[in-house]
Every structure is written in C-alpha cells, then in structure tokens.
Amino acid sequence: MSASRFRGALMTVVLVSALQAPAHAYLKLGSDVNGRTISLLWPARTPVRYFISDQSVDGVSVPQFREAVGRGFDAWQAVETASVGFEFGGFVGGRPLDQDGANVIGFASRPDLERTLASTSFLIDTRTGEILESDIFFNSTFRWSVAPGGEAGRFDVQSIATHESGHFLGLGHSLLGETEPRPTGGRRLLASGAVMFPIAFTAGNIVDRDLTADDIAGVSDIYPDGKFRRTTGTLQGTVTRNAKGIFGAHVVAFNLRSGDMVGGFSLDDIGAFAIAGLAAGTYIVRIEPLDDGDVESFFENPSAVDADFKATYYQRLVTVPEGGGSVRIAVEVAAK
Amino acid sequence: MKRALVLAWLALILTGTPVAALAQQNPAPRARSFELSAGGIAVGPVDFGSATASLIANQSAAPESTLFRASSTIGTGLGVDGRLAFNITRALAVEGGFVWTRATLESRITSDVEGVPDVTLAQDLDTYFIEASAVWHLAALSFAGGRALPFVAGGAGYLRQLDEEQALTTVEPGTVYHAGGGVKYFLLRRPRGFIRGLGLRGDARLYVRSGGVELDQDTTRRNQWAVAASLLVRF
C-alpha cells in the first residue's frame, strides 16, 4: 500500500470549491460570494451533528469505526482556544456523498480514486458561506485499522478521521511538510508538521491522531473562543520578488521559545499574508515556494501560484505581541 | 587631577562656598542625606542555546526531520544607569535605580533543509530595570586616604523589554534581582553646603531575572553580570 496517497482531496460536490480564504491562512476553505471570498464555517449553532454509515470493512466494524471517528472529532473539540462541538446522531443506511441533509461519515469503495484515502464534501449556502451539509467518505479500497497502536500495512482510521474532520470544520491543507516525487507518480512523504498536510504517513502510522500548533491555530482562527484573539497574535507582511507581490508563497513562523511552527500563505496580488493564532514571542520567518505538494490540493487555480523563488528567511527576528499584530514585514525573495 | 580641579571649580560656582580638603575624613555619608549618580552600564550576554525547527519524519530511522537550526543569544547591552539614594544612617542607604540598555537579540540559522545559506537574524532589544536596593557602606574598608568608600548592595526590581519598534511589548514584564558591590571615590567633599561631595562610582552586579525575553521553555531564570560607572553627587 503506497504511503503517498492523498487524503482529503477536497471534492467539490455541490456549490463549493476549495478556494483560499483571504484573511488569515493555514489554509482555510473559502467560497466566492458576490465577488468576495469568505471562509466556510458551520453556523453558530453547535454541536454539529453527524451520522455514521452502517457499512463495515475488513478489520473495522461499524461501532469501531464510529469510536475512531469520534476520537478524531474529539481532537478538535479539545482545542482550548476554539469553540467547536460535535454530536453523534446515530447510525444510518445512507452513504456519504449523498445529498440528504445529514452529515454522513462512512466507507465507500472508490477504486477510481487510487490516491485518495478519504475525502470531505460540502453543501454550502452560497450567500453566507455557511456549511449546510458535509460528508466524509473513507475509501474502502484501502486496508484500514482501529488498533490502538496502529497496524502495519493498514491506515489508521482515527488519524485520517482527524485530518478529514479538519476539512469538515472548514480547514484547507497545510504545507508544513517535506515530500519527494515518486518514480511511479505522486509524492512520497518525508516528514510532516501538521495533521492537515495533504499527504498521509505510511500505513500503520498513528502520528496524525494528535494536532500540531499549525492545526490548532487554524481551527481557532475559524472558530475563536473568547480568549483566542486576546491571548494570541498575528504575523503579517508581504512577500515580493522584484517589488511585485507573490501569490501562494508559503510563510512559516517558527517560535524560538516553544519550537512550534505555524504556516500560512500569501493570498493576494500584493503578496500579503497574515497568520493568526500565534503565541506571543519571538519568531523566525521562513518563506518557501509551494513545491512540496500538488498545488491543486491547496488552491483552486494552480496557475495563480508563483513558485519561482528560492527559500528565504526574513532578515530580522519578528516579535508577535499578545492580542495584536506584528509590524508588517516585507520579505523580498529572489528568483530560482 | 585636572578633572578633579574642574569638578571642584564647578562646585564652587554652584554653592559659592570653599571646597574642603578630603584627606583623612570619614568617607561615609551623613545620616538622612541624599546621593545622586548617573552613568553608563554594560549588562552581560545571554546564551539561549540552539533550537531546531523539526518535522515528524516518515519511515526514517530518525524520529524527526530538521527544517533548520537556530542558535540564539542576547549580546552585551549598553546603556545608562541612574540612582537616587537616601542615606538612612551613615552605613545604610536605600536606593532607587533606573537602568536602560540596548542589546541585540540574534539567531544564527544553519542546516536549512533546502540549502539556504547560513544567516544571522537580529532584533534590537531595549531593556528597562526599575529597581530598589539596600546599600551598606563599608567605611572600615575605606582606602585612598579616605576618598574611596566600598559598599555592597542588593535589591529587586521590575523588568520590561521592548522590541526595536518601541511599540510592541515583547513579553509580559518580569522581575529582576541583583546583588553586588562597588566603590564610591570622592574627588572632593565639603562639610557644608547643598552639594557635599562629588566623585565617581563603580558598580559590579549580578542580575538574576525571571520573565523578559526567554527562548528556552525549560529555563525560568537567567543570570547576567553588569558593570556600571557613574558620576556621583552627594547632597
């Protein structure tokens, strides 16, 4: 079983596309509403109710699947600076991907999606960006496991559920990771720094059960609780080459004290970026091109992404204050 | 010697009274009198060690994959040191102090995964101490014909560090403790008048601070040496 198979390749089933939201990045999913890109998110009413499809697969019973998925949701629900909640609604006979008004999570056999472990789809209100329905399917073409310590040769349901439930909440992919191309196509994961990185660990690995600082900042930015804005700060600035803004540059903020890394992207024509949810402190800022994943898994319009520049450090350390924004830094990069 | 003459002349202008000879006088201050000093200070460096920006490795013997490494320091800070002392007795004084220094916080980046050349990133860092001290004069150890008065001091204070833009508080305020000693060397003293003495003051202190800029999660206190040299006016 290949380790390079994508998880969470975002399917745009109805009315939604994986646009990038303009404000704060990790990436958040967005929708174009009247010429304006707004973040996808669940309406204020919580918890969000979900149902589990009653189809089992080899090695994973329906109750086991439900428990593993529940633990995946629990990881996000436990984030102290985010206000999200989930509620198990019961088992249903419906399949994920059906437009039935229910948020259904379950297995489906999709051998045609040979690189997709699982996927999340949305039905949204195009006027507001609110999510009306979201389904998650796990591709039963692969071998799955719910073993507490993982199982060699089988992908961990809980790890993948944690990733997909990040999409379910409106998070896009993170680029905190390193990959290399595979001779047979696709990319092989070398290392990852976020559950929301688009390429899964090797089958049997359970690392992605635990959220990272990047994941936590992302979900907190979409669903901030009362103290989030007050207790964290924002790194902001622009990325340019020859004084022209770069779209899609990956910006990594490294906290010198905690060692936490949070990434974001420059998201407009002037190369502006803003990464919210950072602990106050001193940061190293590293800029790199989007070359460790398929651009399509991050942005709807890959041709807009400019990856023709060398990885670069901002020449000074940057202070991120509590409850506010850093000075706007300007990073000039050089062409490759 | 020329400097002493200038200071003596200045004292004459200020007070209009003659300057008394210093030799063989007890150098300890009068009880219930004030002293003011101002000068320069150097506060020693801090080495934070190195931090690694790492990712979790997939199928590798090593559990982590290094994105880059950073070794960070705060260089020696230079600034001003001002103190106002009230001599409760001839031996004991209480003192309020203000210290400002500017230093450079630096991180040296190495081992970048994509081969970015090593680079040093910097940020100017302003540090403020507002502190209170107790000073004990060691008159029995005076030397140089009574001109030099050793002392020991210790105290605590408030710490605040700001980044170079002076607009953003780097961290929450911290606390600083200090202990040390020094010598007050009087170039001239007078038994009467508003100004009773002029001289130089040298300090050596050990600061123990908690709070402020800290780049190591496991460290809560930092020790920094400091030396200061000031002009001293005794009232």
Side-chain angles (χ1 to χ4, degrees):
Chain A
M1 195 73 67
S2 167
S4 67
R5 299 179 193 281
F6 288 104
R7 55 187 174 174
L10 291 163
M11 294 185 66
T12 57
V13 175
V14 182
L15 300 175
V16 65
S17 50
L19 297 172
Q20 66 284 358
H24 304 119
Y26 306 93
L27 210 48
K28 299 189 294 188
L29 297 177
S31 178
D32 195 352
V33 177
N34 298 326
R36 201 163 59 88
T37 303
I38 59 173
S39 297
L40 296 194
L41 76 171
W42 290 96
R45 61 175 185 275
T46 56
V48 180
R49 178 173 289 191
Y50 66 92
F51 298 87
I52 296 293
S53 174
D54 62 1
Q55 293 184 334
S56 62
V57 296
D58 172 45
V60 182
S61 69
V62 172
Q64 287 174 324
F65 181 72
R66 179 237 158 161
E67 287 180 15
V69 169
R71 288 192 293 272
F73 279 122
D74 287 346
W76 298 98
Q77 194 166 288
V79 173
E80 291 183 356
T81 49
S83 181
V84 296
F86 305 96
E87 181 180 75
F88 173 57
F91 296 104
V92 293
R95 284 165 21 92
L97 309 183
D98 291 344
Q99 289 177 51
D100 51 12
N103 305 311
V104 177
I105 301 165
F107 287 104
S109 179
R110 293 294 300 270
D112 54 316
L113 299 175
E114 60 179 7
R115 297 187 185 280
T116 302
L117 285 168
S119 177
T120 303
S121 61
F122 296 95
L123 180 69
I124 66 163
D125 184 333
T126 55
R127 295 165 303 173
T128 63
E130 286 187 351
I131 301 170
L132 303 174
E133 178 187 339
S134 180
D135 293 348
I136 301 172
F137 96 87
F138 287 67
N139 195 342
S140 59
T141 306
F142 297 92
R143 301 175 71 201
W144 295 94
S145 169
V146 290
E151 193 173 346
R154 292 174 177 265
F155 287 98
D156 181 50
V157 171
Q158 183 179 334
S159 297
I160 303 304
T162 306
H163 176 94
E164 294 305 324
S165 47
H167 289 317
F168 186 88
L169 287 166
L171 273 173
H173 282 143
S174 166
L175 191 59
L176 279 183
E178 294 290 329
T179 65
E180 64 181 8
R182 298 177 68 89
T184 55
R187 303 188 76 86
R188 190 178 85 85
L189 179 67
L190 298 175
S192 172
V195 168
M196 296 311 294
F197 192 72
I199 301 176
F201 280 92
T202 306
N205 194 304
I206 59 171
V207 165
D208 277 347
R209 291 179 181 180
D210 298 319
L211 302 183
T212 69
D214 184 76
D215 305 308
I216 291 168
V219 72
S220 302
D221 191 27
I222 301 176
Y223 303 95
D225 80 343
K227 64 185 176 189
F228 173 68
R229 304 281 182 221
R230 207 172 56 243
T231 58
T232 62
T234 300
L235 173 72
Q236 52 196 356
T238 55
V239 181
T240 57
R241 184 188 56 236
N242 298 326
K244 290 187 176 177
I246 288 182
F247 181 89
H250 188 225
V251 182
V252 178
F254 174 71
N255 185 311
L256 269 169
R257 177 165 190 172
S258 66
D260 288 340
M261 279 187 287
V262 179
F265 291 90
S266 57
L267 291 175
D268 61 20
D269 293 341
I270 64 168
F273 64 86
I275 305 174
L278 301 180
T282 306
Y283 283 82
I284 291 170
V285 181
R286 185 177 186 272
I287 315 292
E288 62 183 3
L290 201 172
D291 58 5
D292 275 304
D294 290 342
V295 178
E296 296 80 7
S297 66
F298 295 88
F299 294 101
E300 185 190 49
N301 182 11
S303 64
V305 174
D306 186 344
D308 180 25
F309 63 92
K310 297 175 185 171
T312 306
Y313 291 92
Y314 179 56
Q315 292 296 312
R316 302 188 70 80
L317 294 168
V318 182
T319 299
V320 173
E322 193 174 71
S326 70
V327 295
R328 292 184 185 279
I329 65 173
V331 187
E332 176 75 10
V333 297
K336 283 180 177 172
Chain B
M1 189 61 193
K2 184 177 180 181
R3 190 171 194 174
L5 288 173
V6 171
L7 288 170
W9 177 79
L10 179 63
L12 274 172
I13 291 176
L14 287 171
T15 64
T17 54
V19 177
L22 293 173
Q24 308 307 317
Q25 292 185 0
N26 184 343
R30 291 177 300 119
R32 296 182 300 281
S33 65
F34 288 91
E35 285 181 6
L36 181 66
S37 64
I41 188 170
V43 178
V46 176
D47 184 353
F48 294 113
S50 64
T52 302
S54 59
L55 305 171
I56 300 170
N58 184 35
Q59 285 188 310
S60 169
E64 294 186 335
S65 171
T66 298
L67 191 57
F68 59 86
R69 289 195 173 87
S71 300
S72 302
T73 59
I74 295 177
T76 298
L78 300 176
V80 297
D81 177 65
R83 293 178 181 270
L84 177 63
F86 176 68
N87 297 305
I88 299 172
T89 67
R90 290 178 70 85
L92 177 65
V94 291
E95 191 172 79
F98 171 82
V99 174
W100 165 80
T101 60
R102 174 164 290 181
T104 303
L105 172 61
E106 286 186 344
S107 285
R108 177 76 176 161
I109 308 293
T110 59
S111 306
D112 184 90
V113 68
E114 294 183 62
V116 177
D118 294 354
V119 62
T120 299
L121 317 180
Q123 179 190 63
D124 287 340
L125 189 68
D126 286 344
T127 299
Y128 299 87
F129 299 156
I130 297 173
E131 53 196 28
S133 312
V135 179
W136 187 260
H137 295 112
L138 304 171
L141 301 179
S142 65
F143 56 95
R147 289 174 179 270
L149 175 63
F151 63 91
V152 293
Y158 166 88
L159 163 69
R160 188 174 178 84
Q161 289 182 308
L162 302 179
D163 77 355
E164 59 186 345
E165 284 79 20
Q166 302 294 312
L168 302 174
T169 303
T170 303
V171 290
E172 290 298 313
T175 306
V176 65
Y177 304 93
H178 70 268
V183 175
K184 296 174 182 177
Y185 183 84
F186 288 93
L187 301 170
L188 58 89
R189 280 188 302 151
R190 301 185 314 155
R192 295 181 301 279
F194 180 62
I195 294 178
R196 298 294 185 97
L198 291 171
L200 303 173
R201 169 176 169 161
D203 284 65
R205 299 179 204 132
L206 175 67
Y207 281 103
V208 180
R209 69 171 173 87
S210 59
V213 172
E214 180 51 67
L215 301 183
D216 183 348
Q217 283 198 118
D218 301 324
T219 302
T220 56
R221 292 183 188 278
R222 290 282 177 185
N223 299 336
Q224 289 178 270
W225 56 261
V227 292
S230 309
L231 290 174
L232 172 68
V233 181
R234 175 177 287 175
F235 299 98

